[in-house]
Amino acid sequence: MLTRIRRRLPGSGNGPWIVIAAGAAAMIITPFAVAAGEGRPIDGGARNPSSNETLSYNRETEIIANTATYGTRQSNKSSSGGGAIYGCRARSGTRSCVRASNLSNGRAFSFASNSGGEVGRIDGPTTAAPFTTSATGLATGLNADRVDNKSANELTTDAVAAANRFAVVSAAGTLGANRGATAAANPAGAGTYTVTFGDNISNCALAATLAQTAGGEIGVTLAADNRTVNVTTRDSNGNAADHPFHLTVTC
């Protein structure tokens, strides 16, 4: 074509051909310059699209399939190599490096290993949460060694302790050592006390003992608010009298 054009322009030099060649080259190169690394074939065993960072892909590279198995597969037959690495520079609050999104109602991800020791590992700063979830269903088969940095025995002990409340009250109605009690008082004369707990204890068993060696009597009843215990104390003759006591609430 260029030969025919040159023949039709007799007497012309090389100048026009340089201009035409430059224009043709610009028309060919421009789309690739705009799209950086786009449009280039994948080069196996090399960095794609190029080791030149200015030629990185500027748009998503989509691989769309319609198959009953998997859309893509990456594998490594070496006994010392991995299957794939995904890296990014996402800052906090932006997209994660890897996302699996199932647009139907099946699983979004699945991991499988023949290892008899560790199936997988999550590395991160020691102060970071390994992961978070908005799901609240039962994680079948999950065996957690510690919860809130406590062992199973510690959690059991805490649960038993939380279910068993107590209060030590002086003869004047002052609340001493306790678990779950919020207040004590001697509001209505000799031998009459109230002990208030922080939550509903209507399904719990109440018991009280006098905290002294001398004889006497003590009785307990639950108030209508299901949180306050009314305690009455008497001397050995049955007369109302102030006495220190221990109150236990077992749920």
Side-chain angles (χ1 to χ4, degrees), residues 199-206 222-227 249 251:
D199 54 359
N200 189 319
I201 55 173
S202 60
N203 294 322
C204 305
L206 308 178
L222 183 62
D225 66 359
N226 293 325
R227 296 172 181 268
V249 179
C251 303

Side-chain angles (χ1 to χ4, degrees), residues 65-84:
N66 188 352
T67 173
T69 57
Y70 290 92
T72 63
R73 183 182 296 272
Q74 292 174 258
S75 181
N76 187 346
K77 294 185 177 181
S78 169
S79 60
S80 60

Side-chain angles (χ1 to χ4, degrees), residues 157-165 179 199 249 251:
T157 300
D158 288 351
V160 171
N164 293 280
R165 304 159 179 81
R179 179 187 297 122
D199 54 359
V249 179
C251 303

